[in-house]
Structure formats: C-alpha cells, structure tokens
Amino acid sequence: MPLSTRNIPDRTTIWNFENRIGVGGVTAIFNKLDRQIRAHGLEARAEQIVDATLVPAPKQHFTRVEKEVLEQDAMPAGWKPAKRRQKDVDASWTKKHGKSYHGYKFTVSVDRKH
C-alpha cells in the first residue's frame, strides 16, 4: 500500500513531538528501535550513507528464442562476434518510483568506520 502524503507529519509536528518527549524520550525510542533491529539479525550503523544509482543502457530487442537461451546464461548460436559485441546481455529492468528503467543499478554503502 503506497504511503499517502497526508499520513506524513510536517516538520512542525515532529519538532513539537521532539520537544515534548525530550532527549530522554528520543533516546528511549531509538534504543527500543535498535533492539528490534538487532533481534532480526540486522545492524544499524552510525553515520551511514547509501546511494543507489541507475545507469541507463540501450534497450535490447531479443526474439523469444534468444531470451530463452540468454536466461540459461548461454549465447544464441546464430550470433556472430560483431553482433555479440553490440548486445548488452547483462543489463536488466528495474523500477524506481513506479517507472521502469533498463540498465544497471549500482548501490554504494559507506559508514564512518568502513
């Protein structure tokens, strides 16, 4: 179910909530969240940046038979070396914000320690 913008509090609401619960309240909430995350075998890292970039690639046009062969990590027998160089068989389709893109998805994650 998509998140509606009417369900997202504005900055004044968040600021008022933060002032009402104080530093101790914020610390308690984050400690509880951290325990729940760790209970699932995950770890939240301090000062972490995650970037996912989509790199577009030209759309490829394959016949149904070529697609079946490529899905088995094989190269169609009729493709000559020149055609093989022109076909990008590693790019794939992905969605971002409900729109489809063809290409590569690169994800980088860094934190202060690493």
Side-chain angles (χ1 to χ4, degrees):
M1 176 190 240
L3 184 63
S4 170
T5 54
R6 67 176 177 234
N7 294 332
I8 300 172
D10 63 4
R11 66 186 178 126
T12 304
T13 304
I14 294 171
W15 183 80
N16 286 333
F17 176 73
E18 182 183 9
N19 284 334
R20 227 176 46 232
I21 65 172
V23 174
V26 171
T27 302
I29 288 171
F30 279 103
N31 286 342
K32 176 73 173 176
L33 177 63
D34 189 53
R35 284 193 299 276
Q36 290 178 10
I37 289 171
R38 289 178 188 273
H40 286 86
L42 302 172
E43 179 182 354
R45 296 185 184 154
E47 300 180 24
Q48 185 174 20
I49 300 171
V50 178
D51 178 47
T53 302
L54 298 177
V55 179
K59 294 177 186 144
Q60 305 296 304
H61 301 282
F62 302 118
T63 65
R64 183 175 294 157
V65 174
E66 289 173 337
K67 285 180 186 177
E68 290 172 0
V69 171
L70 291 169
E71 285 174 1
Q72 297 175 14
D73 290 328
M75 196 63 66
W79 285 10
K80 296 183 177 172
K83 186 172 185 174
R84 290 179 185 187
R85 286 192 298 271
Q86 294 174 7
K87 293 292 185 179
D88 188 351
V89 297
D90 296 320
S92 62
W93 287 93
T94 189
K95 282 194 172 194
K96 182 176 181 181
H97 304 297
K99 188 175 177 184
S100 295
Y101 295 90
H102 185 263
Y104 297 88
K105 184 168 124 180
F106 294 107
T107 304
V108 176
S109 177
V110 295
D111 62 42
R112 178 191 272 187
K113 181 178 177 183
H114 300 97

